[in-house]
């Protein structure tokens, strides 16, 4: 999915200037990284708010058009009001086609209802992790990773290392850990007893 954000260079900076921008329906932000200097920007609030509601926007290469000049960026951070639907600030990082990205991507779980642990064992699917750290070149960046739960029985789980990765994509490892991503637990949250595990 392709996203485009239209922005302008922000000449006025500081707290009071940012408040004026927000009252005018724009969001202050910054673009940094690569070989160029950081640039303060402003972009349309409502357009940005709609895009932030889309999962893919958080893990896709974004075409950022600043005063008519396009560059590719990643969403790195954003700040929202504590209880109002207001975006207060946004950070983008430039993408270098020749350098690997380090980014979190969401997990999509499939075939849950067909898993033996659910269909036959009456178990519940327990999503332990909703996203994973990966590294890859910009051209290989997936919007999400698919986790097929269709073969799991009660008491079984899938670890991060067992997830099928697209070509050019690798997991970022934190030491020797191989975290559980999803499991199927029995009724009441219990794992399979020894009799079920041996069956």
């Amino acid at each position: 999915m392709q996203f485009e954000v239209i922005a302008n260079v922000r000449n006025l900076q500081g707290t009071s200037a940012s408040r004026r921008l927000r009252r005018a329906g724009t969001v202050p932000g910054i673009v940094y990284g690569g070989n160029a200097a950081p640039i303060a920007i402003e972009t349309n609030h409502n357009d940005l708010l709609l895009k932030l509601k889309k999962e893919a926007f958080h893990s896709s290469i974004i075409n950022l058009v600043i005063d008519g000049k396009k560059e590719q960026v990643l969403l790195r951070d954003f700040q929202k009001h504590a209880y109002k639907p207001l975006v207060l600030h946004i950070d983008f990082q430039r993408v270098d086609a020749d350098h690997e990205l380090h980014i979190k991507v969401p997990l999509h779980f499939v075939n849950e209802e067909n898993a033996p642990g659910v269909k036959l064992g009456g178990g519940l699917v327990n999503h332990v992790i909703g996203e994973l750290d990966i590294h890859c070149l910009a051209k290989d960046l997936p919007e999400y990773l698919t986790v097929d739960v269709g073969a799991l029985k009660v008491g079984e789980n899938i670890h991060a290392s067992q997830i099928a990765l697209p070509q050019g994509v690798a997991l970022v490892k934190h030491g020797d850990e191989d975290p559980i991503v999803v499991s199927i637990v029995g009724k009441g949250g219990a794992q399979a007893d020894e009799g079920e595990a041996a069956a």
Side-chain angles (χ1 to χ4, degrees), residues 4-141:
E4 184 173 87
V5 174
I6 307 298
N8 297 306
V9 172
R10 174 165 52 99
N11 295 313
L12 297 176
Q13 298 184 42
T15 305
S16 59
S18 293
R19 277 199 294 265
R20 285 196 297 273
L21 285 173
R22 293 182 193 116
R23 282 197 295 269
T26 56
V27 180
I30 190 166
V31 185
Y32 61 86
N35 297 319
I39 298 176
I41 62 169
E42 57 186 79
T43 186
N44 181 271
H45 177 273
N46 291 343
D47 177 64
L48 190 61
L49 185 62
L50 286 173
K51 287 183 168 70
L52 285 168
K53 291 179 180 178
K54 297 179 179 179
E55 179 190 68
F57 187 70
H58 297 254
S59 58
S60 294
I61 303 296
I62 300 162
N63 291 318
L64 180 64
V65 183
I66 306 174
D67 290 343
K69 183 181 177 183
K70 184 183 293 187
E71 53 185 318
Q72 292 190 319
V73 299
L74 285 172
L75 172 64
R76 274 308 186 194
D77 196 17
F78 65 96
Q79 298 167 11
K80 290 184 71 175
H81 193 279
Y83 55 89
K84 296 179 182 177
L86 294 174
V87 184
L88 303 178
H89 194 274
I90 192 151
D91 294 3
F92 294 107
Q93 181 181 351
R94 296 184 184 96
V95 170
D96 185 337
D98 299 322
H99 288 79
E100 283 196 333
L101 306 171
H102 178 173
I103 188 171
K104 290 182 183 292
V105 293
L107 301 176
H108 284 191
F109 299 91
V110 299
N111 292 324
E112 294 181 351
E113 65 282 357
N114 297 321
V118 174
K119 199 170 185 179
L120 303 176
L124 299 173
V125 178
N126 177 32
H127 299 155
V128 181
I129 296 175
E131 58 185 13
L132 281 178
D133 277 335
I134 64 165
H135 55 90
C136 63
L137 294 175
K139 66 181 180 63
D140 297 322
L141 178 63

